[in-house]
Amino acid sequence: MYVESVSRFVLYNTHSNISNTGTGLTRDEMREVLRLCDRLEHVKVLSDFNRTCPPTHVLTRCGEDRYARRTLKYLSGIAMGIWILDIKWLRDCAKSRKWIEETPYEILGDLTGLENGPRESRIARKERKPKLFEGFCFDLEGKWEDDERRMKRSDVRRLLKLCGAKEKAGTDGRKRLRVFCEPSKLTLGGSSSSSSEEDEKELVVHLDWILNCISTNRVLPVDEICGMLRVND
C-alpha cells in the first residue's frame, strides 16, 4: 500500500543546520506550521524539497500509537536515515521556544502495520552501516501507470537509489532486482530462471516488496505475499 500526500513544506533552521520536510498534513496543519515557525528563531519555510540542503527531519501526523501514513516522503525519510516525527514535536518546540530531544516523538511504523524502519534506518546511518539495498542493482519492468493510486516510476527509481541500489545490471557482482508494478503480469511461485545459481543473482519482485523492505529497513524474506514472482509470457 502506498499513499502520496499533496501537503509539502520544508523548514530550515539556519542556526543549528536542521531542516524538516512534512508529509501527510492537512492544509490547516500546514498553516499551523507556518504560525509556529514564527515563534522559533532561525527557521524559515521553503516551498519544496531543497536538494542542496537535504532534510534532517520528516514531520507527519499520527495517532497515539505513533503510526503514520506511508507516503513517498515517509519512505524517503527512512531511506535517508533521518528523523521521522509526530508534528507534535514542532508544537512543543514552539511552546518551549527551544529544540526538544526527538526520540519521544519518533514515528514507530506505518498504517500497513510494518514498523521499526524509522528508528533502525536512523541508527544504521549514525553507525555508518551499509544502506538497505547496498549490493543490489535494479530494473523497473512492465507498465507503470502514473496515477494517484500508484507510485511513479521516477519516484521508485529515486527511492531505490537512496537505499543504495544502482540502476541497471553491471559487472560488479551486484544482485539484480527486477521490479514490477503490474500484478496481472506476475504469478506466485518463484523466479523464471531454472538455475538456483541464477536465482541467487536475481530477484523478480513486486513493488510492494520493495516498499515493505523500506518500511522495516530490512531485506525481507521473499514470501508468498509480495516476494518472488514469475513473469507471465
Side-chain angles (χ1 to χ4, degrees):
M1 177 182 177
Y2 161 76
V3 178
E4 175 57 302
S5 168
V6 297
S7 304
R8 296 188 179 189
F9 66 89
V10 176
L11 313 177
Y12 180 57
N13 185 313
T14 57
H15 177 68
S16 55
N17 199 30
I18 295 177
S19 57
N20 309 284
T21 184
T23 184
L25 303 177
T26 66
R27 293 184 182 277
D28 286 342
E29 286 169 331
M30 291 178 64
R31 284 191 284 268
E32 179 188 12
V33 166
L34 292 171
R35 178 176 57 82
L36 292 175
C37 288
D38 288 338
R39 300 169 59 183
L40 294 171
E41 296 181 356
H42 311 293
V43 175
K44 65 179 179 179
V45 180
L46 307 179
S47 61
D48 205 347
F49 184 85
N50 188 344
R51 293 184 179 181
T52 62
C53 180
T56 59
H57 297 66
V58 174
L59 304 181
T60 188
R61 64 188 313 196
C62 64
E64 293 182 359
D65 58 1
R66 283 193 277 154
Y67 276 63
R69 296 170 66 197
R70 186 161 77 176
T71 66
L72 176 60
K73 293 243 177 175
Y74 174 85
L75 293 167
S76 298
I78 295 176
M80 295 173 67
I82 61 180
W83 286 103
I84 304 179
L85 306 176
D86 183 352
I87 189 178
K88 187 176 183 294
W89 174 73
L90 180 63
R91 292 173 180 143
D92 290 348
C93 285
K95 184 177 180 180
S96 63
R97 300 188 67 82
K98 65 180 181 181
W99 230 252
I100 296 176
E101 206 278 318
E102 295 97 333
T103 303
Y105 302 86
E106 187 166 28
I107 298 299
L108 301 179
D110 62 54
L111 296 181
T112 67
L114 299 175
E115 57 189 8
N116 296 327
R119 179 179 181 275
E120 294 298 325
S121 65
R122 178 178 57 78
I123 292 176
R125 181 193 179 199
K126 183 178 180 180
E127 296 178 351
R128 300 183 181 276
K129 292 182 179 180
K131 294 183 177 181
L132 178 62
F133 289 126
E134 199 82 37
F136 287 84
C137 61
F138 68 90
D139 291 302
L140 304 183
E141 303 189 14
K143 184 179 180 181
W144 293 64
E145 296 179 4
D146 291 344
D147 60 38
E148 295 179 354
R149 295 170 297 175
R150 294 186 179 182
M151 187 177 289
K152 296 179 180 179
R153 181 190 292 261
S154 58
D155 291 333
V156 178
R157 181 181 294 113
R158 181 174 180 275
L159 271 178
L160 284 166
K161 288 182 177 180
L162 284 175
C163 290
K166 290 186 177 180
E167 193 165 12
K168 304 296 183 183
T171 59
D172 56 358
R174 288 175 173 253
K175 178 178 286 189
R176 183 186 180 198
L177 286 172
R178 297 178 61 198
V179 185
F180 286 81
C181 187
E182 247 185 322
S184 60
K185 290 289 185 70
L186 302 165
T187 57
L188 298 171
S191 168
S192 58
S193 58
S194 58
S195 168
S196 60
E197 181 178 352
E198 288 181 359
D199 290 346
E200 292 179 0
K201 296 180 180 179
E202 176 178 285
L203 289 178
V204 183
V205 298
H206 189 268
L207 172 61
D208 284 348
W209 182 81
I210 297 293
L211 303 186
N212 290 347
C213 287
I214 297 175
S215 289
T216 57
N217 197 50
R218 292 194 304 118
V219 178
L220 297 169
V222 180
D223 59 23
E224 68 277 6
I225 298 176
C226 62
M228 186 74 76
L229 302 163
R230 178 180 290 116
V231 182
N232 295 326
D233 296 329

